[in-house]
Amino acid sequence: MLNAHDQLEIKRFCFQYLARREHSQLELRQKLSLKGFGGLDISAVLDDLIMNDWQSDQRFAESFFRQCLARGLGPLRIAYELRQRGITDEQTVMDEGQVDWEKQLAGVYQKKFGDNIFLTAREWVKRLRFLQYRGFSSEMIQGLSKGLGLVIK
């Protein structure tokens, strides 16, 4: 049986979380479960929040996507991060953003490494790993290296 007192507490916690930033349903469910609330109570409250448009996975995904872009993340990492937060249609969110990923990659590279085009193989491997960790594909990184005219010794 659903507990009305627990549902009020759950709603209070949800509003506290949502007042700070957008959260996905999965994030709210995980946080509330850690507080010891039951799954049925959580589901009932989340359904109410969604119905009243107080919580929206679409809004969360769009907000999170913009934050990831500002942090200099690439498409692979952003898609992974969205999936980790329960957003299963991450490609739709990313397609709507109409991002120039090559420009994003060049900006991240320039900010981190500057203009030096003469690199040792060891330096290039470090840079390659950094850019891959940020979520850029090997093909994108190779395109950048050709575009910058990097000389690797």
Side-chain angles (χ1 to χ4, degrees):
M1 182 172 172
L2 300 179
N3 183 333
H5 180 265
D6 280 354
Q7 286 187 16
L8 284 174
E9 280 294 298
I10 291 170
K11 193 174 267 192
R12 186 177 65 79
F13 280 119
C14 286
F15 284 136
Q16 286 176 352
Y17 295 136
L18 292 169
R20 292 184 196 118
R21 68 167 176 87
E22 293 286 345
H23 283 72
S24 69
Q25 289 178 48
L26 179 63
E27 287 178 320
L28 289 174
R29 189 175 299 281
Q30 289 171 338
K31 288 181 177 189
L32 295 167
S33 292
L34 289 174
K35 293 200 175 285
F37 294 110
L40 290 177
D41 289 329
I42 293 171
S43 293
V45 171
L46 288 180
D47 289 345
D48 182 51
L49 293 175
I50 293 163
M51 190 171 53
N52 288 301
D53 202 31
W54 291 324
Q55 191 283 326
S56 164
D57 274 355
Q58 181 66 32
R59 234 182 9 246
F60 164 78
E62 290 166 1
S63 172
F64 188 78
F65 180 70
R66 287 189 303 273
Q67 291 172 4
C68 288
L69 285 178
R71 288 176 33 214
L73 299 182
L76 301 176
R77 175 84 180 268
I78 294 173
Y80 171 79
E81 296 282 343
L82 284 167
R83 283 191 308 273
Q84 291 296 106
R85 287 159 177 78
I87 306 303
T88 55
D89 195 17
E90 72 278 351
Q91 199 57 48
T92 301
V93 174
M94 293 172 50
D95 288 344
E96 289 176 6
Q98 299 294 321
V99 177
D100 182 350
W101 292 111
E102 285 77 23
K103 185 176 177 183
Q104 174 83 352
L105 172 58
V108 169
Y109 184 87
Q110 183 67 32
K111 182 177 178 183
K112 178 75 174 176
F113 301 113
D115 292 330
N116 185 10
I117 63 167
F118 298 101
L119 305 172
T120 65
R122 188 176 193 176
E123 288 172 319
W124 174 241
V125 169
K126 282 184 181 180
R127 291 177 185 198
L128 178 68
R129 268 187 270 142
F130 170 79
L131 294 171
Q132 286 176 330
Y133 174 76
R134 282 294 184 98
F136 296 99
S137 69
S138 297
E139 294 81 23
M140 293 173 77
I141 297 168
Q142 286 175 346
L144 173 75
S145 70
K146 290 176 184 172
L148 294 175
L150 296 180
V151 178
I152 302 169
K153 301 175 188 177

